[in-house]
Amino acid sequence: LPLRLAELLLTDILHLDIPTRFAISGELRRMLVGKVGGRVLSCVYVWGEEKRHAMSLRPASRKERRAYQEKWTRAEIEAEVQ
């Protein structure tokens, strides 16, 4: 997948932004999970001086899709309650 799609993950208002357990050379890596064009994708990124730098982009794993879906479900329930 082209890394330029990673920016589109931020346009998904319910994207997940998750810290990873790994730091390489002192860089803390994070993961974005969100929907782009009907597909749930996962992007690993690091913070540069003032912006994110995408390291990889791939289809989300089953576990990541489940976490994303749970967030959507919670948001729908909260919207109905209000």
Side-chain angles (χ1 to χ4, degrees):
L1 295 168
L3 286 177
R4 68 179 181 276
L5 291 177
E7 281 186 37
L8 297 176
L9 290 176
L10 293 171
T11 64
D12 178 357
I13 60 170
L14 293 177
H15 70 266
L16 301 175
D17 192 346
I18 308 162
T20 65
R21 295 178 289 166
F22 305 104
I24 297 177
S25 300
E27 286 183 325
L28 177 61
R29 294 179 180 212
R30 297 187 64 87
M31 179 182 301
L32 283 176
V33 179
K35 193 175 273 191
V36 174
R39 295 177 67 188
V40 180
L41 304 176
S42 177
C43 171
V44 173
Y45 73 93
V46 295
W47 273 104
E49 292 190 19
E50 293 188 17
K51 65 179 187 172
R52 295 176 176 102
H53 295 280
M55 307 291 288
S56 67
L57 181 68
R58 60 174 171 71
S61 69
R62 183 177 297 149
K63 182 179 178 181
E64 292 161 350
R65 287 192 310 270
R66 194 173 321 128
Y68 178 79
Q69 184 60 43
E70 287 173 6
K71 184 173 183 179
W72 265 106
T73 302
R74 284 192 308 272
E76 289 171 351
I77 291 169
E78 289 172 7
E80 289 178 10
V81 171
Q82 294 178 356

